[in-house]
Amino acid sequence: HSEGLSRTFSVVVPKADLEAQLAAKIEEVRPRVRINGFRPGKVPASHIRKVYGPGIMQDLINEAVQKSTQESLEQAKVRPAAEPQLDLKSDIAQVQAGQADLAFDLKVEIMPEIEPTDLSKISIARPVADVSDEQVEEALDGLLKANQTYETKEGAAEDGDSVTVDFIGKIDGEAFDGGSAEDATVRIGAKQFIPGFEEALIGAKAGEERVLNVTFPDTYPVESLAGKAAAFETKVKEVRAPQASVANDEFAKRLGFDDIGALRTALKDRIEADHKAQSRAKAKRALFDKLDAAHEFQLPPGMVEAEFNQIWRQIEADQAADRLDAEDKGKSEDQLRTEYRKIAERRVRLGLLLAEIGGRNKVEVPEQEVARAVAEQARNFPGQEQRVFELYTKNPQLMAQIRAPLYEEKVVDFVLELVNVANETVSRDELFKEDEGLKV
């Protein structure tokens, strides 16, 4: 029976076949069976059947199901899109007792027939942006600020200064947990402390003691402190003023470069790499749009449902954490479900298409690349790298999760070599402008 991409195969394994296999299996194991009261190798087949028959028969049934499933799929010349589902039609107790045939329906979703379009007829634009000297200097300025030094100064603290303090925080005159520190560094204007704390140190001098009266925000994560007024008894120990770093050889050497020229070159290389990655991402998006528009084929419902469920779980998590995109916040659940189901369908369609193109052209991911990706994943768990590496390499499902995105990128690279790609010079802002439309 077939309907769309769903197939149902009715399978019957005659009880006589199972009985013959059971008898053969008993004879095979009889010389090795040891049962008290019988000499080795002399246990009657009838006794072995009585003691071990049900267990052996269950193994034979399992083997018959696996073999019949494989043969059914091979005879029908179909590729399953998911694990086949078994619908048992016979009473398993009667089958085990040799009183009934083993009958079951095999329900399976199959892969659709996909005929990739002529890739040489697809044209896309790849936005590219040159790296300007201004961008390099902007990046260098950011480095100068990030590596700013501070020197002790006489006089009052100002916005931007770094102040070393001891403090004890109190609410209603009582010190609270986590509200005290010694030799704490407070950079005025950095917004690293609760609102008002840093600003209250403006005008303070070394050796001075002052009380900082501030209020914890209503959204403060520690519930017992949220919205509470607090007084921080503070002793100022040192005031330091920021010293402007200079873009010279000495600064470059502090960061591990030979001179300022080498640092500028490294910054330019990094920016160019960012541009290249963004250009490829935009080209990939344009390619996917063209491939999606050029192909129409049935999608396995189970694959679409699994992809949608994965997306929807993330949407629900984003809703709960108030991280939903601004454009989605005003939409109803039905609207969101409709839109994200289309995204799920697009992802499945493109995934199947890329797999077909990759398979036809024997695109492969070298094992060393997979191993490198696993090692990178393991590095996210300091101190447990070896254990995590072994966990991945021994789990086929985890390895498949690592290999899938690598394979996709390999196929995308292959396709980009075959389609017509025209570079389109744009500004940096245009290159990094977020595309509207589907979130893929």
Side-chain angles (χ1 to χ4, degrees):
H1 173 71
S2 64
E3 182 179 339
L5 294 178
S6 296
R7 298 288 185 275
T8 301
F9 302 97
S10 294
V11 180
V12 177
V13 181
K15 61 182 179 181
D17 289 358
L18 290 172
E19 175 61 28
Q21 292 177 38
L22 176 62
K25 193 70 175 177
I26 288 174
E27 284 304 313
E28 178 187 331
V29 303
R30 196 157 73 94
R32 305 191 300 274
V33 172
R34 299 288 186 269
I35 296 180
N36 290 337
F38 296 95
R39 284 183 295 162
K42 299 299 181 179
V43 181
S46 59
H47 195 72
I48 295 176
R49 178 186 291 264
K50 180 179 179 181
V51 176
Y52 298 112
I56 295 175
M57 180 60 90
Q58 186 58 57
D59 290 341
L60 291 173
I61 290 172
N62 293 341
E63 290 174 10
V65 168
Q66 291 180 3
K67 184 179 178 183
S68 300
T69 297
Q70 189 65 31
E71 289 177 349
S72 297
L73 296 177
E74 288 176 357
Q75 289 174 7
K77 296 180 180 179
V78 296
R79 292 181 297 161
E83 196 69 28
Q85 300 297 309
L86 196 71
D87 184 11
L88 193 63
K89 296 298 183 181
S90 48
D91 185 327
I92 196 65
Q94 289 187 331
V95 177
Q96 287 177 327
Q99 300 169 355
D101 296 337
L102 172 63
F104 61 91
D105 283 349
L106 195 65
K107 298 180 179 180
V108 60
E109 281 187 2
I110 66 170
M111 296 288 278
E113 292 296 324
I114 303 172
E115 186 57 44
T117 189
D118 183 352
L119 298 174
S120 65
K121 293 183 179 179
I122 290 180
S123 298
I124 63 170
R126 174 169 53 204
V128 295
D130 295 328
V131 178
S132 65
D133 291 341
E134 288 77 14
Q135 283 177 264
V136 176
E137 293 308 309
E138 182 182 317
L140 180 57
D141 186 54
L143 273 182
L144 292 171
K145 290 178 179 177
N147 291 274
Q148 199 168 46
T149 59
Y150 290 83
E151 289 187 6
T152 302
K153 73 176 229 181
E154 299 293 334
E158 301 174 88
D159 191 17
D161 284 352
S162 178
V163 185
T164 303
V165 297
D166 294 342
F167 60 78
I168 299 175
K170 296 182 178 180
I171 294 178
D172 297 329
E174 296 291 331
F176 56 89
D177 289 342
S180 302
E182 292 185 355
D183 294 326
T185 299
V186 182
R187 187 157 64 85
I188 300 175
K191 301 187 185 306
Q192 295 174 335
F193 287 75
I194 61 174
F197 189 98
E198 296 165 12
E199 294 81 354
L201 287 170
I202 292 176
K205 299 179 181 179
E208 179 182 337
E209 294 184 5
R210 61 167 59 183
V211 176
L212 314 183
N213 292 300
V214 294
T215 300
F216 282 94
D218 292 335
T219 55
Y220 195 71
V222 179
E223 191 175 341
S224 60
L225 301 178
K228 297 288 181 65
F232 287 86
E233 297 172 0
T234 306
K235 181 177 181 179
V236 180
K237 303 175 83 170
E238 184 183 26
V239 177
R240 293 182 297 152
Q243 304 300 304
S245 296
V246 179
N248 55 23
D249 292 345
E250 181 183 346
F251 175 73
K253 288 175 181 176
R254 275 172 49 199
L255 299 182
F257 295 89
D258 291 337
D259 53 38
I260 192 65
L263 175 55
R264 282 193 169 95
T265 298
L267 288 172
K268 185 173 184 178
D269 289 346
R270 190 193 71 191
I271 297 170
E272 285 179 339
D274 289 344
H275 282 209
K276 185 177 179 180
Q278 182 67 1
S279 291
R280 186 186 185 284
K282 288 286 183 87
K284 178 180 174 181
R285 167 64 189 273
L287 174 66
F288 279 9
D289 286 346
K290 289 292 182 74
L291 291 176
D292 189 38
H295 296 87
E296 186 63 44
F297 50 83
Q298 283 186 297
L299 303 177
M303 293 182 75
V304 174
E305 194 64 25
E307 182 68 30
F308 172 75
N309 288 338
Q310 183 177 346
I311 294 172
W312 193 251
R313 281 195 297 271
Q314 185 60 52
I315 294 299
E316 289 180 323
D318 288 344
Q319 282 179 322
D322 196 28
R323 291 193 306 261
L324 209 59
D325 289 347
E327 60 185 282
D328 284 345
K329 284 186 177 180
K331 297 174 182 174
S332 68
E333 181 172 321
D334 284 345
Q335 286 177 303
L336 289 174
R337 283 182 174 274
T338 298
E339 289 183 16
Y340 282 100
R341 185 166 291 279
K342 287 181 181 178
I343 292 173
E345 291 172 353
R346 171 183 163 104
R347 288 183 181 177
V348 170
R349 185 180 301 109
L350 289 171
L352 292 175
L353 176 61
L354 291 175
E356 183 70 23
I357 293 172
R360 289 189 180 203
N361 294 281
K362 297 180 171 56
V363 176
E364 295 181 349
V365 181
E367 287 304 317
Q368 58 266 33
E369 286 190 27
V370 179
R372 193 158 52 241
V374 173
E376 288 176 5
Q377 189 71 17
R379 278 196 288 272
N380 293 327
F381 302 88
Q384 303 181 59
E385 291 90 345
Q386 187 60 36
R387 190 176 71 83
V388 173
F389 187 87
E390 291 176 358
L391 177 67
Y392 270 85
T393 53
K394 292 178 180 178
N395 187 318
Q397 190 171 358
L398 290 177
M399 289 299 286
Q401 291 175 5
I402 290 286
R403 189 185 297 272
L406 297 176
Y407 183 76
E408 178 179 293
E409 293 307 308
K410 288 285 184 185
V411 179
V412 169
D413 286 339
F414 174 82
V415 174
L416 285 174
E417 290 294 323
L418 298 179
V419 302
N420 300 299
V421 182
N423 285 343
E424 178 183 295
T425 302
V426 298
S427 67
R428 173 183 169 83
D429 287 345
E430 184 66 24
L431 177 63
F432 285 88
K433 180 182 176 182
E434 189 171 334
D435 288 331
E436 297 178 357
L438 289 174
K439 303 171 181 66
V440 277

